[in-house]
Each structure stands twice: as C-alpha cells, then as structure tokens.
C-alpha cells in the first residue's frame, strides 16, 4: 500500500472517529438537558404552587382572626388555594407526588371546616387545640411536598453531574484514541 493511501485511510479514520465523538457529545448533552429541564420544570412548578398555597393559607388565617369574617373574600381565597393545588397536580407526577398532594388536599379539607363555623364559634377555635393541630398538619404537609421537590431537584442535579462525567470521560477517551491513531 502506498504512503498516500495509508495517509488517506488514517486521516479518514481520524475524521470518522472525531465525527462520532462530536455526535456522541451533542446527542448526550441534548438528552441530558432535556431530561433535566423536564424534571426541574415540574418540581419548580410544584414549589411555586406550594408557596401560593401557603400564602393563601396565611390570608385565610388572618381573615379568621378578624372580628367579622368576610365570607366572600374567604371563598375567593379558598378558590385561589384550590387553583394552586390543581396547578401542583398538573403534569407528569409519580405516585409519591400524587400521595403528597392528596395529603395536602385532605388536611386542607379538615382546616377548611373551621372557616365555615359561625363567627362566635370560629373565634373560639383559636383556643381549640384541634384547630391548631389541623393548621400545623396542613403546614407540615405543604412543607413535606416542598421538601420532596427540593430532594428531587438535588437528585436530578446529581444524576446530571454523573452523566456529564460519563460524557466527558467518553469524549476524553475519544480524544486519546484520536491522538493514538494520529501518531
């Protein structure tokens, strides 16, 4: 085989290997960012919804502390809370997320019974330990849901970091192979 043919085959092999490495890198990065983006979007949407629910819960508690309860505004706040709850349940959820949202909905239903009471009975509910327990249970379920999302975000970041190291290692090995073939 002539020198020119050897040079042609070796440069062709180098080009093919370089192109393969480039395509592998591009494909891996696209898959990595797509998966990470979907999971981050879902978890951040849930965190945003729990912050909205917590805000509406605070508004409702403040309304219940007032001398006269504005039932129209309380109903509007209840509807906003339920919209936030619906928003959190939209999207691609696993069973644990659905269970956590069901827990929030269940504890909110127990809390909501206190707002429906007459004004004189409602004012006395703040002395009632049952009200405080239900309020704390609702706050705890919102905290648990937020913590699940934060943990999922951390897990997603760790998986992305591991995948990035794998892609970097593969691309590094491709580079070493290119150098060896080139020499």
């Amino acid at each position: 085989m002539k020198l020119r043919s050897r040079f042609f085959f070796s440069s062709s092999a180098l080009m093919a290997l370089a192109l393969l490495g480039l395509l592998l890198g591009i494909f891996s990065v696209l898959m990595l960012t797509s998966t990470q983006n979907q999971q981050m979007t879902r978890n951040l949407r849930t965190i945003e919804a729990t912050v909205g629910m917590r805000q509406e819960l605070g508004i409702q508690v403040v309304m219940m502390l007032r001398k006269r309860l504005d039932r129209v505004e309380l109903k509007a706040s209840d509807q906003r809370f339920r919209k936030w709850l619906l928003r959190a349940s939209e999207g691609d959820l696993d069973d644990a997320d659905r269970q956590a949202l069901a827990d929030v909905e269940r504890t909110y239903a127990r809390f909501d019974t206190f707002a429906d009471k007459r004004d004189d009975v409602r004012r006395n509910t703040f002395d009632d330990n049952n009200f405080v327990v239900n309020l704390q249970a609702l706050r705890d379920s919102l905290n648990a849901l937020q913590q699940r999302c934060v943990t999922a975000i951390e897990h997603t970041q760790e998986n992305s970091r591991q995948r990035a190291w794998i892609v970097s290692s593969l691309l590094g090995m491709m580079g070493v192979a290119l150098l060896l073939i080139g020499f």
Side-chain angles (χ1 to χ4, degrees):
M1 198 186 298
K2 292 186 177 182
L3 183 61
R4 195 169 27 172
S5 297
R6 285 184 192 173
F7 180 69
F8 174 74
F9 285 126
S10 66
S11 63
S12 296
L14 285 173
M15 295 282 245
L17 197 55
L19 185 60
L20 180 66
L22 179 65
L23 290 175
L24 174 69
I26 290 171
F27 181 74
S28 297
V29 168
L30 288 176
M31 292 302 295
L32 180 70
T33 57
S34 173
T35 302
Q36 185 179 13
N37 187 35
Q38 289 172 350
Q39 292 177 355
M40 294 291 273
T41 300
R42 183 189 77 201
N43 287 311
L44 290 174
R45 182 177 51 238
T46 303
I47 289 173
E48 179 188 27
T50 57
V51 168
M53 285 185 269
R54 188 177 284 280
Q55 181 179 359
E56 291 304 325
L57 178 63
I59 290 170
Q60 290 177 20
V61 169
V62 168
M63 279 192 251
M64 292 173 77
L65 287 171
R66 292 183 184 155
K67 200 171 208 176
R68 289 192 41 116
L69 181 64
D70 184 357
R71 298 230 179 245
V72 173
E73 183 57 35
L74 184 65
K75 187 68 174 171
S77 178
D78 176 62
Q79 289 173 347
R80 288 189 301 264
F81 185 95
R82 293 183 190 281
K83 282 181 184 177
W84 283 117
L85 188 61
L86 181 64
R87 181 169 178 174
S89 66
E90 293 172 346
D92 184 26
L93 300 176
D94 60 11
D95 290 337
D97 290 337
R98 283 189 208 92
Q99 180 64 30
L101 283 169
D103 187 43
V104 169
E105 191 169 12
R106 196 172 32 257
T107 55
Y108 181 70
R110 284 194 307 257
F111 170 79
D112 202 29
T113 60
F114 291 99
D116 292 334
K117 295 182 177 182
R118 292 188 333 260
D119 286 348
D120 57 334
V121 175
R122 183 180 41 77
R123 274 193 293 279
N124 293 330
T125 60
F126 290 101
D127 296 329
D128 183 9
N129 191 37
N130 197 23
F131 172 78
V132 175
V133 166
N134 282 314
L135 178 61
Q136 188 61 40
L138 180 55
R139 292 181 65 216
D140 289 345
S141 63
L142 287 171
N143 285 341
L145 183 57
Q146 284 179 333
Q147 188 58 44
R148 279 190 48 72
C149 291
V150 169
T151 302
I153 288 171
E154 289 171 348
H155 183 68
T156 299
Q157 286 180 330
E158 182 60 32
N159 283 344
S160 295
R161 193 174 9 265
Q162 288 174 355
R163 288 179 185 161
W165 274 108
I166 290 171
V167 169
S168 297
S169 298
L170 287 173
L171 290 174
M173 286 189 286
M174 287 278 213
V176 168
L178 282 171
L179 284 174
L180 289 176
I181 292 174
F183 283 126

